[in-house]
Amino acid sequence: MVTERAWELPAAGATLRERWAAIAPELAGHVAAVSYDPDSGRLTVCPESTAWVTKARLDQTRIIAAANKAAGRTVVRALRILTPGAAPAPGPAATVPADPAPAAPPGVRSGPGRPRPRATAARSPRTRRPRRRAG
């Protein structure tokens, strides 16, 4: 009766997140299972980079099949792949360091180098008029 009425689906979602390393071992270190919606059957994952987004999209049907096999029945009907950094990855990577570096003030770009200046109409080669030859 419990299975028929799907009362344990939220527990299945927790189990899917706990078993993520067994479900997708090649993705586990780079893609985190962040949530499961039992109403829609959607498992949400968050990759660490765009390369892993592509890998997750390519393996989407295999991931859904492996998740359902791990759950013992069809509980995952769709996979939602977030953009990198959209959700914090659970585990050691999500911990905050004891002494975080100060954030850059608003409007100041952090990182190496300065931003490239935008091309203006005067500098753009497409809008230059050809020079006239003195003749």
Side-chain angles (χ1 to χ4, degrees), residues 5-19:
R5 296 182 186 203
W7 288 339
E8 76 278 356
L9 284 179
T15 303
L16 289 173
R17 287 191 308 271
E18 291 167 2
R19 293 184 186 175

